[in-house]
Amino acid sequence: MTEKELITSISIGKLPVVIYCEKQYEGICCMLKVTRNNMLFLDYTDTYDDADSDGGFRAKFVYDSLEKLIRSVEEFTGKKLIQLDIEPRCYDKFKCDNHEWQKLQWDIYNGKIRFPENFSKFSIGDMWWRGLYLQEIRPDCSRDELTAWIKKTSNYEDDE
């Protein structure tokens, strides 16, 4: 794709626009999605369509310019923009009997997931995934540990 094609897709097409999809774990793909305002999503998911997603990992990166975002994508993927496709066909990469969610969770916890670089803002919106990334909670935590962490993190007060 060209920069002009990307801008057109972002402006008039379905948001966000998938520009990269590679299988990283059994049944789980790493996807890069671009949207307006120089925003890039890094998703680890078991489905191509957000509507069918069941709580996969998502990190959001905001860049100062589209050029910086594109350079970051190129560095992350090891491909030039012209080598990437808008809405690549990768449905077959999700097929499997046993998704490796536990492996992904441990890799996030252990800092083994590579992120795009040179962003101005970064966030992980989901509490569970953010807790793993910050090593505040372990993937193998007990229900009691998880409940205590949620209460602590969200300033939850019991009515007891």
Side-chain angles (χ1 to χ4, degrees):
M1 91 184 93
T2 65
E3 186 174 329
K4 183 178 180 183
E5 290 170 328
L6 178 59
I7 292 168
T8 301
S9 292
I10 293 169
S11 300
I12 62 171
K14 177 182 131 187
L15 292 175
V17 177
V18 177
I19 61 168
Y20 176 77
C21 179
E22 288 298 326
K23 183 176 178 178
Q24 297 291 313
Y25 298 89
E26 191 61 34
I28 301 170
C29 288
C30 170
M31 298 174 74
L32 293 179
K33 300 176 181 180
V34 181
T35 188
R36 293 185 178 112
N37 303 318
N38 306 319
M39 194 178 307
L40 176 71
F41 294 112
L42 169 67
D43 291 354
Y44 281 85
T45 184
D46 60 2
T47 180
Y48 189 83
D49 186 1
D50 283 339
D52 295 331
S53 182
D54 194 21
F57 173 86
R58 172 171 275 183
K60 178 175 84 173
F61 303 85
V62 179
Y63 292 84
D64 292 332
S65 68
L66 182 62
E67 291 74 26
K68 286 185 179 182
L69 183 149
I70 290 170
R71 279 197 303 274
S72 180
V73 166
E74 290 176 339
E75 289 173 14
F76 182 84
T77 63
K79 298 178 179 182
K80 293 290 184 191
L81 187 64
I82 197 73
Q83 296 172 294
L84 297 172
D85 295 317
I86 294 172
E87 303 294 339
R89 299 195 180 275
C90 60
Y91 304 100
D92 59 321
K93 295 179 182 184
F94 294 98
K95 294 178 184 174
C96 83
D97 293 326
N98 189 18
H99 294 81
E100 293 182 321
W101 285 111
Q102 188 97 41
K103 186 171 188 219
L104 172 62
Q105 290 173 10
W106 278 109
D107 283 353
I108 288 172
Y109 178 83
N110 290 314
K112 293 183 178 179
I113 299 295
R114 195 168 66 87
F115 289 153
E117 298 179 356
N118 301 316
F119 49 86
S120 58
K121 293 179 186 174
F122 157 75
S123 65
I124 299 172
D126 183 88
M127 185 179 205
W128 167 254
W129 293 109
R130 186 174 55 249
L132 292 176
Y133 173 76
L134 296 172
Q135 294 185 328
E136 293 176 352
I137 194 76
R138 294 172 49 93
D140 62 353
C141 68
S142 69
R143 180 172 294 279
D144 290 342
E145 290 170 317
L146 180 59
T147 300
W149 174 76
I150 290 171
K151 286 179 180 181
K152 178 183 149 201
T153 302
S154 62
N155 295 321
Y156 177 82
E157 292 185 26
D158 264 337
D159 291 338
E160 295 180 40

